[in-house]
Amino acid sequence: MSTDPRRAGFLATLRAVLWSFIGVRKRRDYHDDAASLDPRAIVVAGVLAGVVFVLVLVGVVNWVLP
């Protein structure tokens, strides 16, 4: 039997990454995330969230300044 902690799903990882974009996290949530999140999933979710953020900014700028 394995004693590995249960890994969080991708949506939980994405939620943690989006909260980190804002910069507001409770210490307890941070420790829970550190115990359950997969580092590779964090990187993938961070890159995806960053790309979406940049594309939204570019779209807003193109919309405001036609």
Side-chain angles (χ1 to χ4, degrees):
M1 288 200 121
S2 172
T3 59
D4 292 338
R6 181 173 160 90
R7 289 291 179 193
F10 188 73
L11 290 179
T13 303
L14 186 59
R15 187 184 69 208
V17 168
L18 293 177
W19 274 111
S20 70
F21 271 35
I22 297 171
V24 178
R25 292 290 284 167
K26 293 181 181 177
R27 184 179 303 253
R28 181 192 50 149
D29 291 337
Y30 171 76
H31 290 296
D32 291 343
D33 290 343
S36 65
L37 296 178
D38 182 21
R40 291 173 293 205
I42 292 172
V43 170
V44 170
V47 169
L48 287 175
V51 167
V52 168
F53 179 71
V54 169
L55 291 175
V56 166
L57 284 179
V58 169
V60 168
V61 169
N62 285 333
W63 177 64
V64 170
L65 301 173

